Amino acid sequence: EGGPDLSVPSYFGVEPPPLPPAWTDKVRPQLQKKTKRYGLKRYPKKAGKARREWRALTAAGQHKPPPPGEQEGDMMLTLTCKDVLEPERMAEALFAQLSAGGGGAAAAAA
């Protein structure tokens, strides 16, 4: 979905990996210190603006690689299932779990 990376030529017949999909520009994975689990957090205003500018440059291949922290987050989000990011499907899964008796604070926090 992200399209080919035009900023890097192919070497020895191997194409560079594709750009991260556009839906990864909205949220970032962040490790929660208390629970030691990853959660999704929206981009801050400044970082979101920089990401939108970077995305605009990708169409012409004039962009530079994203910073290492963003590369790791992009990979994590790209490899996860996109269905998890859809609120409707997540709400349905939580409702099914709560109505099946797996309720409580643990199910609501998941």
Side-chain angles (χ1 to χ4, degrees), residues 8-102:
V8 181
S10 61
Y11 291 105
F12 306 110
V14 178
E15 294 292 324
L19 294 171
W23 60 269
T24 61
D25 296 349
K26 297 177 184 173
V27 292
R28 302 287 348 130
Q30 184 177 26
L31 184 63
Q32 312 265 329
K33 291 181 180 178
K34 290 182 181 179
T35 61
K36 304 284 188 207
R37 300 178 93 184
Y38 279 94
L40 295 179
K41 186 176 179 181
R42 287 204 170 277
Y43 261 105
K45 285 186 177 185
K46 198 174 196 179
K49 182 181 176 188
R51 181 69 176 215
R52 285 189 299 276
E53 291 171 356
W54 176 83
R55 181 64 70 175
L57 292 174
T58 61
Q62 299 175 348
H63 64 286
K64 293 181 180 178
E70 285 188 24
Q71 287 177 346
E72 180 184 7
D74 289 340
M75 181 65 70
M76 289 171 71
L77 290 176
T78 303
L79 295 176
T80 58
C81 179
K82 288 189 283 187
D83 296 340
V84 174
L85 296 177
E86 294 178 7
E88 296 86 13
R89 297 190 84 147
M90 182 63 84
E92 289 173 7
L94 285 174
F95 178 76
Q97 186 176 8
L98 288 171
S99 59

